[in-house]
Amino acid sequence: MDRDDGDTFEPDLAAARTIPARWYFDPAVLDREERRVFARTWQLVGAVTQVRAAGDYFTCRVGREPLVVARDEAGTLRALSNVCRHRAGPVARGAGRARSLQCGYHGWTYALDGRLLASPEFEGVRGFDRSTIHLPEARLAEWGGFLFVNLDRDAPALGEFLGAIPHETRGLAMDHLTLRRRVDYEVECNWKVYVDNYLEGYHIPRVHPALFRELDYGAYRVETARLHSRQRAPLRREGAVFGGGAGDGEEALYYWVFPNLMLNVYPGSLQTNLVVPLGPERTLTRFEWYVAEPLDPAAAEKFEQAFAFSDQVQREDMDICRAVQQGLRSATYHRGRYSVLRENGVHHFHGLLSRFLAD
């Protein structure tokens, strides 16, 4: 039995071993990931449609950091800390429209650009200059109607994470897609188990028999780039869900952006999947499905069919991810090997993860 528990990453896929099993359940590893991975990468937080008008805002979290995304009176969009500078109360809850942000604890009030406007009953406090107090601001970027936040001022730009994705998806007109459905799933596994599973088609024949019939598995390939990867899955013309009526050369494209964002592109629709750790062995996966509007009755029926199919695939993934998480706890398992043909995407992810954790 191989007891190699070292953290060293082997860049040669044919010689490499997977990351140590303990990385999937050790709370200290998740703490490092929160600080060195999630706080230094671009995280999807919402859509431009949520903050179209002056005063619109919504709250979110990036890693452990509470944020409020708001559009001020001048039309500028900002991602501000949702932590009052007084005693750490929330300056906003949920979503809505307001002229200012007011802490629900003691009433400190901030402008939508983060300036402190009022601090009730603070007379007599020495060395207190209200004009110097602002809510900290994080980097905010937009692509395809989606909003991303990065807490690291020195991280590469969003475009470097996305690489060729904007060019390759230009035909989908993403700015004009409409959210059709949102579903949250909680999975009893580490977030990396779920990402590992997403990044390879190796499991499809056994875990997803219905999906296997939709895709040309023999032609399924994973192509890696600097900070993302792409899985190309040609659709079978005789497929019942995605392939039915598909033209020659049509395919499903499964993009992954380090560390936790998936973009599943099907003919005429986009599915986003955000993977958020809730604990060392519990994960939230948020699915959002975007389509071109309006949907005629036939297209609406087709969407419902595709949604039901996607839900079935997701539940199959949840079942296998739970089982894998239990297996990682076994005293007999420590590290595995990669299939050179099918698991280069997983190896690529583990390499990026090891690099960020070591930096």
Side-chain angles (χ1 to χ4, degrees), residues 169-177:
T169 58
R170 65 193 184 282
L172 192 57
M174 291 176 58
D175 288 340
H176 302 288
L177 296 178

Side-chain angles (χ1 to χ4, degrees), residues 30-42:
L30 179 58
D31 181 69
R32 248 167 87 200
E33 291 167 345
E34 294 279 11
R35 291 181 288 107
R36 299 189 180 187
V37 178
F38 290 96
R40 297 171 53 206
T41 53
W42 288 97

Side-chain angles (χ1 to χ4, degrees), residues 208-241:
H208 306 303
L211 180 60
F212 180 66
R213 292 190 291 271
E214 293 287 321
L215 306 175
D216 181 354
Y217 179 74
Y220 198 114
R221 292 293 181 269
V222 180
E223 301 162 351
T224 62
R226 181 186 171 196
L227 291 163
H228 77 278
S229 63
R230 175 181 63 184
Q231 299 175 62
R232 307 185 71 106
L235 300 173
R236 296 183 186 273
R237 291 181 60 86
E238 64 274 17
V241 179

Side-chain angles (χ1 to χ4, degrees), residues 5-318:
D5 281 336
D7 294 353
T8 303
F9 175 74
E10 170 55 64
D12 181 355
L13 174 59
R17 299 184 183 278
T18 60
I19 57 178
R22 62 182 174 79
W23 283 26
Y24 293 92
F25 53 80
D26 186 344
V29 173
L30 179 58
D31 181 69
R32 248 167 87 200
E33 291 167 345
E34 294 279 11
R35 291 181 288 107
R36 299 189 180 187
V37 178
F38 290 96
R40 297 171 53 206
T41 53
W42 288 97
Q43 294 294 307
L44 175 65
V45 295
V48 176
T49 54
Q50 296 173 262
V51 280
R52 286 198 183 279
D56 285 351
Y57 71 89
F58 66 86
T59 59
C60 59
R61 296 181 73 90
V62 170
R64 296 171 181 170
E65 198 63 44
L67 299 170
V68 53
V69 176
R71 190 178 295 277
D72 68 18
E73 296 299 324
T76 301
L77 203 55
R78 290 184 170 85
L80 302 169
S81 172
N82 192 14
V83 178
C84 181
R85 300 296 92 192
H86 173 220
R87 295 257 305 282
V91 301
R93 295 182 187 273
R97 183 174 295 175
R99 293 185 177 180
S100 60
L101 303 171
Q102 187 174 79
C103 178
Y105 199 7
H106 300 101
W108 281 35
T109 304
Y110 299 83
L112 296 174
D113 62 6
R115 292 176 294 117
L116 179 62
L117 299 176
S119 50
E121 303 181 66
F122 237 58
E123 297 82 1
V125 178
R126 287 195 293 269
F128 177 75
D129 182 357
R130 192 173 67 200
S131 68
T132 65
I133 299 176
H134 295 73
L135 295 173
E137 186 173 348
R139 293 170 68 188
L140 182 70
E142 176 187 345
W143 167 68
F146 296 106
L147 296 173
F148 297 79
V149 167
N150 196 318
L151 302 178
D152 184 0
R153 291 285 172 188
D154 298 322
L158 175 62
E160 294 190 46
F161 277 75
L162 296 176
I165 295 176
H167 176 73
E168 293 174 354
T169 58
R170 65 193 184 282
L172 192 57
M174 291 176 58
D175 288 340
H176 302 288
L177 296 178
T178 301
L179 176 63
R180 180 77 181 190
R181 191 71 54 83
R182 176 186 291 119
V183 182
D184 286 353
Y185 300 92
E186 286 194 20
V187 192
E188 295 167 350
C189 70
N190 183 271
W191 72 277
K192 297 185 293 298
V193 170
Y194 190 91
V195 174
D196 288 350
N197 181 74
Y198 178 88
L199 288 173
E200 46 92 349
Y202 194 15
H203 68 284
I204 291 176
R206 295 151 194 86
V207 178
H208 306 303
L211 180 60
F212 180 66
R213 292 190 291 271
E214 293 287 321
L215 306 175
D216 181 354
Y217 179 74
Y220 198 114
R221 292 293 181 269
V222 180
E223 301 162 351
T224 62
R226 181 186 171 196
L227 291 163
H228 77 278
S229 63
R230 175 181 63 184
Q231 299 175 62
R232 307 185 71 106
L235 300 173
R236 296 183 186 273
R237 291 181 60 86
E238 64 274 17
V241 179
F242 301 118
D248 291 335
E250 282 203 289
E251 59 184 353
L253 293 175
Y254 300 99
Y255 292 100
W256 167 76
V257 183
F258 180 77
N260 62 328
L261 176 62
M262 292 84 166
L263 303 168
N264 305 325
V265 182
Y266 301 103
S269 69
L270 168 72
Q271 182 190 82
T272 66
N273 183 8
L274 187 66
V275 182
V276 181
L278 299 178
E281 298 183 88
R282 193 158 193 86
T283 297
L284 170 71
T285 63
R286 169 161 292 166
F287 278 79
E288 295 185 338
W289 202 307
Y290 295 82
V291 298
E293 289 286 356
L295 289 182
D296 59 36
E301 182 180 354
K302 183 74 172 177
F303 171 82
E304 292 302 328
Q305 180 186 19
F307 174 78
F309 183 83
S310 173
D311 182 71
Q312 172 189 330
V313 171
Q314 171 64 8
R315 294 186 184 282
E316 291 165 350
D317 279 332
M318 291 168 65

